[in-house]
Amino acid sequence: MASYVPPGAPRPASNANNPPSSHPPPNFRANPNSLADNLHNLNFNSAAPRAPSPLPGTPFSRQATQPRPPSGPPFPPTFSHPNEPSPWIVPPPGARPPPFVSSASRGLASNGQPVFASGALPGGQWFPPLGSAPQPPVRPPPTMAMARAPPQPPTATSRPLMGSSLIRAPPVQPASPFSAAPQARQPPTTAYPYGQPTWPLQPGQGAPPPPITGSPQPPRMFGMPPPLPNQSMTSVSSAVGQIGAPVAGASKIDPNQIPRPIPSSSVILHETRQGNQANPPPPATSDYIVRDTGNCSPRYMRCTINQIPCTDDLLTTSGMQLALMVQPLAIPHPSEETVQVVDFGESGPVRCSRCKGYINPFMKFIDQGRRFICNFCGFTDETPREYHCNLGPDGRRRDADERPELCRGTVEFVASREYMVRDPMPAVYFFLIDVSTNAIQTGATAAACGAINQVIADLPEGPRTMVGIATFDSTIHFYNLKRALQQPLMLVVPDVQDVYTPLQTDLVVQLSECRQHLELLLESIPTMFLENRTAESAFGAATKSCHQLALVPFLQETLKEELTSLQGRSIVLDFQEAHKLLQPADETLKAMAIEFAEYQVCVDVFITTQTYVDIASIAVIPRTTGGQVYYYYPFSAVSDPAKLYNDLRWNVTRPQGFEAVMRVRCSQGIEVLEYNGNFCKRMPTDVDLPGIDCDKTVMVTLKHDDNLKDGSECAFQCALLYTTVNGQRRIRVTTLSLPCTSILSNLFRSAELDTQFACFLKQAASEIPSRPLLLVKDRMTNLCINILLSYRKFCATVTSSGQLILPEALKLLPLYTLALIKSKGLRTDGRIDERSFWINYLSSISTPLAIPFVHPRMVAIHDLNSKEGDQSLVPPVISLSTEHVNDGGIYLLENGEDCLIYIGNSVDSDILQQLFCISSVDEIPAQFVLQQYDNPLSKKLNDLVNEIRRQRCSYLRLKLCKKGDPSGMLFFSYMIEDKSSSGLSYVEFLVHVHRQIQLKMSS
Amino acid sequence: MAEFLELESQDGVRMPWNVIPGTKQESSNCVVPVSAIYSPIRPLPNITLLPYSPLRCRTCRSVLNPFAIVDFAAKIWICPFCFQRNHFPPNYASISDDNLPAELFPHYTTIEYSQDSQIDQSPPQPPLVFLFVIDSCLIEEEMGFLKSSLSQAFDLLPDNSLVGLITFGTLVHVHELGFAQIPKTYVFRGNKDISKEQLLEHMSFFAKKPKPAGVIAGARDGLSAESISRFLLPKAECEFAFNSVLEELQKDPWGVPTDQRATRCTSTALSIAASLLGACVPGSGARIMAFIGGPSTEGSGAIVSKNLSDPIRSHKDLDKDSAPLYHKAVKFYEGLSKQLVHQGHVLDLFACALDQDSGLAITYQIFLFSIPLHIGILNVTMEFNDWELAASFSFLHLIQSRIPGGVGSDNLCWGLISCMKFLLGLSTVGVAELKIAVERTGGLVVLAESFGHPVFKDSLRRIFQAGDYDLGLSSNGIFEINCSKDIKVQGIIGPCASLEKKGPLCSDTVIGQGNTTAWKMCGLDKATSLCLIFEVVKKESPDATIQSTSNQFYFQFLTYYQHYSGQMRLRVTTLSRRWVAGPGSIQASFADLVAGFDQEAAAVVMARQVSFKMETEAEFDPIRWLDKALIHLCSRFGDFQKESPSSFSLSPRLSIFPQFMFNLRRSQFVQVFNNSPDETAYFRMILNRENVANSVVMIQPSLISFSFHSGPEPALLDVASIAADKILLLDSYFIMVIFHGATIAQWRKAGYHNQPEHQAFAHLLQAPRDEADSIIKERFPVPRLVICDQHGSQARFLLAKLNPSATYNSDGPLPGGDVIFTDDVSFEVFLDHLQRLAVQ
């Protein structure tokens, strides 16, 4: 199920075209440069000799021949059984063919009919064209499903969602590029106890085969060309509305019919604009390849609604959020064209003289090209003489197609002098390691040193990379690495109240000059402090002194830290006050963070702890400086070093920029309300990002300041001025132009669930620290209810008030909302630190990762072997309900950060032996390191985990869970659809939502 | 004179008045105060070490001495100070007229006791501690010199000594020599004072234990030996670490803008060093050896701002009170000295500054004046190298010779002073401010122009050198005094600190470290000499009966100290001096007084006193004070007819005193304006700790002439002593000059001494060298040896010291052919005036 486009994993596109064995493994470790190249638009993709490849021309050309755009002719048959209309209610916009709304009771009544929900596109007709060698992940023919269907209980057949996933499960294994890939896989982590784990070593086994292009019209759930009629529903019987008892309601809803996420299995091809119209992007969580035809790729910027409401009222009515998710350095799909770099020379890029908007495809040239109208402020500018070009008959500039800035949604300008306050600074990596007693004893220091030692090898070479290191307990120890003769010199700065740097130079040294010293030092640090009895950690001071370093004219850019424990605030037990603990303890760290940001220092914190460390306070620094918090709790010296290493490694090798300033501009009528993410804001209009990387997303909420004209387009432009790792100053300009609409139903149709829900998440996360949890929960529920209510009220041409009608685009909103309410951050029983971490994690998370973070993915792994032949590495997703967890099974649940493997009580010991080398459930180790044993099942599991890691750009903390154990409880706490202490079951929740809607309707 | 030396070799004491003016009135008329220059641990040829504890008087705690009246029958002794009758303890039972304990032998007026040597033959001798504090703001060359000297010195350290290391520049680095894995230092901010408690906390001395309440002092009070041994290690254990730190020691890495001085936080480093020692080894002998190469610009003890455009304070600034940082720094070091004294630790200062600011910056004063009196003074500050100086010297010489001599309004003359400037050619490191801390703790001080200079290198070696010329560094001394009740103690001028033990002996008038009868001497050595100043409080009384009972004053000096062998010792010196008084016998008493007058000791006391007054009294005019004192003395003790200068004559006992005063007036102690405050402070510190003989050399250099015609003979300290065929050896204590007369110089240049037939010449050349070497060997700090030729630029070192009997104003050149470019009066003129004024 290579359905998610992994936003992070570097995947050399050429991989698929070359024999994997001969290709350098495209993992992080081997290819940091290519990543960087990717970032900088070096022709990463096109460089590969793949002229004969069907990429990328083929897919698109094929597309043209396919009857793709106009509505749904090909679809209805695929979606449902047309002869089964009764449960479906035609949604308001009416005229659209596929009727998707049904009443639950009816649905139940028509039990036995395979009601294929929208996503369930049995891909029978998508049989891979036999000729094309590499296969896309394609669904098996329905026949397979049929073949499997009989043994299932009757209800199973009536579970279209499950059914479909089952259908997909039987692997139709084409002669895929994967076949060779596994050979290159490396032995498992255990071979390298200190994290030279498999993950990065492995080849990009999961690289989606570029020939996905072979699948001409991938199945779509949401990403239909413009008028997408699908509007799904969930039905709730009218009875439910009257009787309050959720149980009663639940009894009347078939839990198997309610909407669940169906990850699309194949890669979607997406052109950002077609026919001079914005093309609604595919869901963020799906796997897609973008061709930039004017609008930016949705990876860089996507809007919660793909049509902009003309008026504020309209937006308010809809109950939806209008916001942009901006991820300016997102990693493109390897098959995508890289962002082109445009150099305007000394004069710099052409900009509107009034609003300073950058030239983009939507600037309209008039008057024979002598002037142009800014699509943001509407001002008419003179075209600079050297930029002048005549217009063609179509009104476009003749050179429009040759100039990337006039035909691409995303371009990068080389920044001229005027964009530089000073020369770009060298990249300084400063590592700060905790060596207090705790850290030493838990092995965190050793792990950190080991990780750093390995990561040094991955740092970009050259004179621009400078490295420094310091350790701290109650004092701070710096190391002079630039010493001709002997070992590094340790410089202890004992005065933590008033810190200072002990040396002006030499603490931060060019990597090439100090590599040996550094390695030696890192090896000796854990033993050096073995006797350390200092329990306190002067984290604040340590950070502060690094800040002092920044004051030294030899600047500073990135600061990586390892931290174990901190004297935390005492935890207030008073529940009412609990949320206050989620706020920073005092202002000093905040002030320090702002200073950091001023000196362009980006701080990442790795917290390896056994106790409470007050993340809420610590996190202020990474949040303000564009950094990130990594949290390893409780730190295990056995299983965590690998993750620590990989996190650190990804942290330094991922595409990133420094000294960045970002601003989003909007067309007249819309203005930016607020930015939300990890940055420092000093001016109302701009955000300062000392560091920005491919994973960081900034949410930009928008508001109307005027009405927009129906039929016009509203443009958004994100300009990011940053320094590349190579020290070039660039401006990445991402432009998105969306149509405006005054029709409410259009809004619902073009709403984008993933983005919108990510927006919800971030809002919830930002509210938690300042409000009581219950209030936040209510607010989130109400947001969901209001949207649905609005839809119900104004868009659904409904008859029965007993039906809960969901807009197709947002049909999963209740499920996600429920997941959010039950998530760690909103649960009252969680640890304060975990909640703080949760909040922080969300603040910069990208859209594709946001959803799984609260709504994890669960797959069965005990039967991996039986899926022999399936080309998809990830088995079908199981809904998050205890119902689907059998005692005899092993399940893997992951949310992009943690990965829990639940082992049922009565699992076949054979399987246990094969997977974990244990003979019974009782032997499950508390600390787990995934190893690959010499059997196909273990190999498959490793493949699976690696694939997930690749998709999530995260190494995942693996943990084994078993029933009757706290670990089991943890696992079950992710069973969102179940009724639990933290909330209603999914069905109950739907009933609740429905009742609320009914209440509001009637009032 | 000889009898005084004899007394000195018996007791280590020189007194200006060996017969004491017996009344308050009398003594004040005598001008030179009743005083003593006492060298507490001077090695004496006939000293006995008694392996038992002394016997003490019950009331005044004075120690049994030969002047006690002993009643052998009653086994009782009467204390000569308080007349208390004391019983002998049982172990003295066998005492009798012919069985005296050593302390009662009449000639054992000075005797030593060592209490612990008897009890235990091998007491755990507390190891000596050497904490090196090294300035890292040095130029590479200097750093190299310092490193090599230090590593040599390290080898010379006693094997059981503990060693610590602190380096400083902008920041203070305390090196944890005991940390095995990698070199490790604690870094402290240079501009922030750190208390001992903070230091203990910062250096995690109590990381493994709860911090004990109360005062923390050393291993006994809760500080584990383990944590002490992190910083202070036995020499053998830290040799590698010490040397590697030294080897790697770099110039302070913080950049110095060209218009700024290096950031040097001397005071903070010293304060940290003091606190570290105070925490680790309080009460036992420890020395902070500070090697400083420039002015402190950071921290409480800063003496000058970092800005190069702000000049370093001069005497003029100090006089006008326009040195903004001076008082703050002095106050800081005063606090530091208190701390050190309290802990019993010594601060040694090695200040070697080749001025990094501007090369050799000197104030070059060109006097431009016309007869009869000068009209103006032109101050020019220039930078000089030695050769440039030589060039300008001869240039001035040339101009001078071209100017028509004689009287006339257009007569232009150039006066070149600042000769002392060139002697050391130093910039300032802040010795003037540090003086208090060094002096109070009895530390050593060496001022040289470079760490590569023999003055520094040899001096440093001398400190650790064992053998004949070792300094006999001892520590932890306490000096106490007892004296007859008609005598009170005004104070001590010398390297010690008051312990503030007040008593009836204390005078109301305080000089130096006064108002106490006990002093701390953290560091003392063989040469250390204290100048005790007494006050006679006996009222003039016509009652002659009292006088007859006892006309002796008794003094007892008690010095407890840790001998450099590690033993604790007590040296007791008991003196008895006759006093004379009474209006009836003025002539007799005059003769007595004069007979007991020690001119050298008197000159030294005057020198210490005038230095002290110059430092402490504002608006003090030393010349006037000295002149008045001399005139007063001469008119009191001189033999003359009133108003008849020619009839004036002085007793031989006093005859050289005016000459001493003349030279003292011209010496660096009084003529401070030719020196930087640092140099002055340095000279005074040495003056205050040296014995009489050496001090006299400082005041009035000795001049020896060597020639073919005669053997070495003392020569007059006069420009007239210069002769073309003579070699002169000038010893002014700090500098020794071997001066070759013009002819000798020519011969030497021609290399005759290398020819076998001129061996006599070679011997002649060698003789002063040998003489100088023998002096240098005994002296600490090692003097600078200058070998020069007549008319050479270096000759100024000699000329500056000579009596200007022939100046450019003189009528004709002397046979020696040298004149001195100065307006100073010559000794003849001085004497004329003295006679004139004395007879009035």
Side-chain angles (χ1 to χ4, degrees), chain B residues 119-175:
Chain B
I119 303 157
D120 189 352
Q121 281 309 305
S122 59
Q125 294 174 5
L128 275 174
V129 181
F130 294 95
L131 180 56
F132 292 90
V133 178
I134 301 170
D135 182 359
S136 63
C137 295
L138 302 175
I139 56 169
E140 295 299 332
E141 194 188 11
E142 284 290 290
M143 188 69 96
F145 289 140
L146 181 55
K147 283 179 187 175
S148 74
S149 290
L150 281 174
S151 67
Q152 276 180 27
F154 186 86
D155 292 339
L156 291 171
L157 290 178
D159 283 333
N160 66 341
S161 55
L162 297 181
V163 179
L165 180 59
I166 291 176
T167 56
F168 70 93
T170 308
L171 302 166
V172 182
H173 293 238
V174 181
H175 295 263

Side-chain angles (χ1 to χ4, degrees), chain A residues 474-475 479 483 485-496 498-505 521 524 527-528 531 533-534 548 552, chain B residues 171 173 175-176 179-189 191-192 194 198 201-204 207-208 240 244-245 247-248 253-255:
Chain A
S474 62
T475 57
Y479 298 87
R483 307 224 310 164
L485 297 165
Q486 302 168 10
Q487 293 161 294
L489 166 70
M490 186 202 282
L491 299 148
V492 185
V493 173
D495 189 353
V496 292
D498 178 20
V499 269
Y500 43 91
T501 43
L503 271 182
Q504 190 175 35
T505 54
L521 178 65
S524 55
T527 50
M528 216 150 65
E531 295 293 302
R533 299 278 179 279
T534 314
Q548 299 273 323
V552 173
Chain B
L171 302 166
H173 293 238
H175 295 263
E176 186 176 329
F179 193 75
Q181 280 92 342
I182 63 169
K184 178 177 176 186
T185 72
Y186 283 81
V187 186
F188 294 89
R189 200 169 246 202
N191 52 12
K192 193 177 169 190
I194 290 176
Q198 280 173 320
E201 196 177 304
H202 287 341
M203 309 240 266
S204 41
K208 295 170 195 177
F240 176 77
S244 66
V245 170
E247 208 172 297
E248 294 246 320
W254 297 81

Side-chain angles (χ1 to χ4, degrees), chain B residues 49 103 151 160 199-200 244 262 309 313 365 367 379 382 405 457 588 618-619 630 660 786:
Chain B
L49 181 64
E103 64 262 39
S151 67
N160 66 341
L199 189 84
L200 283 171
S244 66
S309 58
R313 80 277 182 281
Q365 286 182 322
F367 280 69
N379 281 328
M382 294 171 81
K457 286 201 297 189
E619 310 283 320
L630 181 63
F660 284 147
V786 178

Side-chain angles (χ1 to χ4, degrees), chain A residues 676-689:
Chain A
N676 200 320
N678 289 4
F679 53 74
C680 174
K681 199 162 170 196
R682 279 178 302 196
M683 290 204 308
T685 48
D686 293 359
V687 292
D688 287 3
L689 299 135

Side-chain angles (χ1 to χ4, degrees), chain A residues 590-607:
Chain A
K590 177 77 186 164
M592 195 197 296
I594 289 172
E595 270 187 88
F596 268 127
E598 241 160 74
Y599 289 98
Q600 305 292 355
V601 181
C602 167
V603 185
D604 294 303
V605 186
F606 295 76
I607 302 172

Side-chain angles (χ1 to χ4, degrees), chain B residues 475-492:
Chain B
S475 50
N476 260 326
I478 291 177
F479 180 75
E480 281 188 83
I481 194 167
N482 280 313
C483 46
S484 301
K485 66 177 172 44
D486 286 332
I487 297 279
K488 287 194 189 304
V489 184
Q490 288 189 333
I492 296 182

